[in-house]
Amino acid sequence: MAYQPCHDQLYDQLYNYLTKFGILSDCQFGFRKSHSTTTALLDCTNKWYVNLDRKLFNLVVLIDLKKAFDTVDHQILLRKLELCEIKGQAFTLLKSYLTNRNQICQVKNVISSDRTIICGVPQGSILGPLFFLLYINDLPQCLNKTKPRLFADETNLTAAGQSITELENAVNSDLEDLRKWLIANKLTLNVAKTEFILIGSKPMIKGTTDFHLNIKIDNKPIKQIQECKSLGVIIDQYLSWNSNTENICKK
């Protein structure tokens, strides 16, 4: 009987290969060694502070994807594995792992007929998150004017500049490219939960009160907010951390 490596060994071999050849995007902080929510937040906020010191605004769009892990298309994922030069027996093994999976649903004593799963990464598996990282690994490549930062499916895009009009044009341009990328990869944006925040010093923000930012995707407006919660931390438009400190003190 041929030896079948366990899931942990499959994960280690695949992750080591991706790391050795630098395949995973530097913009991705989720499910990677020496990466965490802390390193993701430090990377974001450090750059935002540098921009503020240079008297630049940060326009940050907080992307919300609908059931991203559950809508990964298997055929697209397999094609991306091939593009990563995963071929031969390794590809065959991973393809076998993904395909011919069935699921049933039980409500009380009633059990449904089984259905073949054609999308989504296997739930509760060690390989599932790594498959997802590979699936969205090329997302940063579709962007030209904003800097993306990803923690698995939690994504933000940052544009920096002195001109509000310049920022608006840059972000809307990249959001249109993102829309096309999402369609090509059969993923869906939750526009209602996607928001943006303009980060600057108090004098800078005060000078924009008469300016209405029109940020949109697929001709649908995105809501502007003054503070947001990202990776468990509350961030406001001044990077003051007051709201986050108050929230910690309440607990």
Side-chain angles (χ1 to χ4, degrees), residues 110-125:
V110 179
I111 300 176
S112 70
S113 57
D114 65 322
R115 295 291 182 90
T116 301
I117 303 171
I118 60 172
C119 63
V121 296
Q123 296 294 317
S125 68

Side-chain angles (χ1 to χ4, degrees), residues 18 21 96 225 229:
L18 298 173
F21 293 99
S96 174
I225 53 177
K229 195 166 188 178

Side-chain angles (χ1 to χ4, degrees), residues 45-79:
T45 55
N46 180 65
K47 186 60 180 177
W48 294 341
Y49 276 123
V50 169
N51 290 334
L52 291 184
D53 288 342
R54 297 167 59 197
K55 308 299 182 185
L56 301 177
F57 289 104
N58 299 283
L59 200 164
V60 183
V61 183
L62 304 149
I63 303 296
D64 188 275
L65 299 177
K66 290 183 179 178
K67 298 182 179 180
F69 281 75
D70 296 329
T71 53
V72 168
D73 184 274
H74 289 174
Q75 293 306 311
I76 296 175
L77 174 57
L78 290 171
R79 177 57 182 152

Side-chain angles (χ1 to χ4, degrees), residues 5-52:
C6 69
H7 292 179
D8 287 353
Q9 291 173 315
L10 274 174
Y11 174 88
D12 288 341
Q13 290 178 24
L14 180 57
Y15 185 84
N16 290 338
Y17 168 78
L18 298 173
T19 303
K20 178 180 178 180
F21 293 99
I23 294 173
L24 293 177
S25 171
D26 291 337
C27 300
Q28 178 62 258
F29 291 84
F31 304 112
R32 300 180 64 190
K33 295 176 183 177
S34 302
H35 293 72
S36 65
T37 54
T38 301
T39 58
L41 286 165
L42 285 172
D43 186 72
C44 289
T45 55
N46 180 65
K47 186 60 180 177
W48 294 341
Y49 276 123
V50 169
N51 290 334
L52 291 184

Side-chain angles (χ1 to χ4, degrees), residues 231-251:
L231 301 176
V233 174
I234 299 175
I235 297 169
D236 64 41
Q237 60 185 340
Y238 307 123
L239 286 185
S240 69
W241 306 108
N242 290 336
S243 295
N244 190 66
T245 302
E246 291 173 4
N247 184 58
I248 293 173
C249 291
K250 290 177 182 177
K251 294 181 178 180

Side-chain angles (χ1 to χ4, degrees), residues 128-147:
L130 191 53
F131 281 148
F132 184 78
L133 296 193
L134 283 169
Y135 196 78
I136 64 169
N137 195 53
D138 59 343
L139 185 155
Q141 296 174 23
C142 81
L143 306 171
N144 297 302
K145 300 180 180 181
T146 60
K147 168 70 175 180

